[in-house]
C-alpha cells in the first residue's frame, strides 16, 4: 500500500482528536498529496461531491501482534468486544475509514492541488492511503443498526473557558477547540474531578478538568516543542 497524501491539521497528539468523523464539523484539515500524486487530473470532477471517504493508516497505533478482542473506552474500558465489531485502531491491519466534508479544492504554489476538508478525526501527519467519493444513494443506510454504540453514552459537557485563556487561541480556531472540548476528550471510565488533562491543539497546550457535566479550562499555553 502506498501513502498518497498526508493529513495536516491542528491535532499534535491522539488525545483530543474527535472519536468519530463529523462530531466536530468545525475542525478543519488539509489533505496534502505526495509529490508522485500531485496530478490535477487525478482529482478531476471531485468538486462535484460534498463528502469523501478517506482511507488512512493508524500510524501511531501499529503493533506486531493483535488481539481478537478490545476494550472500547465508551463501554467503560472494562468490557471486551470483538475487534471486528469496533473501530479500535488496534487491528491486524491498522486502517481507518472516515467520511469528511469537502470544503474546497485549492491550488498551492508549492504543494500543488490540496483538498480542504472538515470534520476529520485524524491527527496531524496521518498517512492517507486512498480517497473515494461518498455516494448518498449507496452509502447512506438510514435504518442501519449501530450495535453497542446505540446504547453507549452520548453526551456533551458544558465548557467553561475563562476569557484570558480563550484569548490565547487564534479567533479562527476557537469554535473548533470548543467543539472538541464539548465532546469531553477524556476516556469514559475516568471521572476524577481533580485530575488535569491536556492535549496539543494549534500549537497550544490545552489543560482542563471535568466535574460532573462541566469541563473547565484551567490553562492554555504555547505547546513546547519536543
Amino acid at each position: 500500500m502506498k501513502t498518497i497524501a498526508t493529513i495536516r491539521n491542528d491535532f499534535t497528539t491522539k488525545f483530543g482528536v474527535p472519536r468519530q468523523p463529523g462530531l466536530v464539523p468545525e475542525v478543519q484539515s488539509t489533505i496534502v498529496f505526495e509529490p508522485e500524486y500531485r496530478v490535477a487530473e487525478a482529482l478531476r470532477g471531485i468538486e462535484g461531491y460534498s463528502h469523501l471517504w478517506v482511507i488512512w493508516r493508524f500510524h501511531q497505533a501499529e503493533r506486531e501482534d493483535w488481539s481478537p478482542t478490545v476494550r472500547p473506552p465508551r463501554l467503560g474500558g472494562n468490557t471486551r468486544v470483538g475487534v471486528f465489531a469496533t473501530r479500535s485502531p488496534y487491528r491486524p491491519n491498522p486502517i481507518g475509514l472516515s467520511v469528511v466534508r469537502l470544503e474546497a479544492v485549492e491550488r498551492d504554489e508549492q504543494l500543488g492541488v490540496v483538498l480542504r476538508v472538515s470534520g476529520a478525526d485524524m491527527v496531524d501527519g496521518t498517512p492517507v492511503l486512498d480517497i473515494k467519493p461518498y455516494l448518498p444513494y449507496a452509502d447512506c443506510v438510514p435504518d442501519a443498526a449501530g450495535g453497542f454504540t446505540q446504547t453507549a453514552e452520548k453526551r456533551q459537557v458544558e465548557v467553561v473557558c475563562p476569557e484570558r485563556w480563550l484569548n490565547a487561541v487564534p479567533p479562527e480556531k476557537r469554535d473548533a477547540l470548543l467543539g472538541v472540548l464539548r465532546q469531553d476528550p477524556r476516556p469514559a471510565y475516568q471521572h476524577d474531578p481533580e485530575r488535569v488533562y491536556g492535549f496539543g491543539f494549534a500549537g497550544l497546550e490545552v489543560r482542563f478538568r471535568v466535574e460532573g457535566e462541566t469541563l473547565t479550562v484551567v490553562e492554555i499555553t504555547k505547546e513546547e516543542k519536543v
Side-chain angles (χ1 to χ4, degrees):
M1 300 291 285
K2 296 182 178 180
T3 297
I4 66 164
T6 303
I7 292 290
R8 296 299 179 194
N9 61 24
D10 292 318
F11 293 105
T12 57
T13 61
K14 292 184 294 182
F15 189 89
V17 174
R19 295 182 178 91
Q20 298 294 340
L23 291 181
V24 187
E26 296 87 355
V27 169
Q28 300 292 309
S29 301
T30 302
I31 299 177
V32 178
F33 289 89
E34 295 297 305
E36 181 181 356
Y37 301 103
R38 292 175 188 172
V39 182
E41 287 80 2
L43 296 172
R44 183 183 298 164
I46 200 169
E47 67 280 355
Y49 299 95
S50 65
H51 292 74
L52 304 172
W53 287 109
V54 178
I55 302 170
W56 48 283
R57 199 174 90 236
F58 286 106
H59 66 300
Q60 294 187 5
E62 295 182 350
R63 297 178 174 180
E64 291 296 327
D65 57 354
W66 72 287
S67 172
T69 61
V70 295
R71 296 181 293 182
R74 280 304 184 193
L75 289 180
N78 295 315
T79 302
R80 285 198 169 273
V81 179
V83 65
F84 300 128
T86 75
R87 297 192 180 189
S88 168
Y90 304 109
R91 329 181 62 80
N93 293 307
I95 296 174
L97 177 68
S98 299
V99 173
V100 298
R101 173 178 284 277
L102 177 60
E103 300 289 351
V105 181
E106 300 176 342
R107 177 173 291 278
D108 183 278
E109 290 186 2
Q110 295 182 330
L111 302 176
V113 179
V114 300
L115 302 179
R116 187 161 55 82
V117 301
S118 62
D121 57 341
M122 295 163 252
V123 70
D124 182 63
T126 294
V128 174
L129 300 175
D130 202 2
I131 297 169
K132 300 178 185 290
Y134 176 90
L135 305 179
Y137 79 90
D139 296 339
C140 180
V141 186
D143 58 347
F148 71 84
T149 65
Q150 293 185 159
T151 57
E153 186 178 16
K154 297 180 177 68
R155 56 184 278 274
Q156 289 191 344
V157 295
E158 178 185 359
V159 175
V160 176
C161 184
E163 188 173 354
R164 62 175 299 199
W165 301 128
L166 191 60
N167 288 340
V169 183
E172 69 277 11
K173 306 286 187 182
R174 293 173 187 171
D175 286 346
L177 175 59
L178 294 174
V180 169
L181 292 172
R182 277 193 290 269
Q183 293 293 322
D184 189 357
R186 301 174 304 161
Y189 51 84
Q190 294 183 357
H191 302 286
D192 183 358
E194 299 301 319
R195 180 169 179 175
V196 176
Y197 302 83
F199 64 93
F201 180 84
L204 302 168
E205 180 70 18
V206 182
R207 297 171 64 81
F208 66 92
R209 62 167 54 98
V210 182
E211 183 172 2
E213 299 300 310
T214 301
L215 180 151
T216 301
V217 175
V218 298
E219 186 179 45
I220 297 180
T221 59
K222 288 188 176 181
E223 191 174 24
E224 295 184 4
K225 300 295 183 181
V226 178

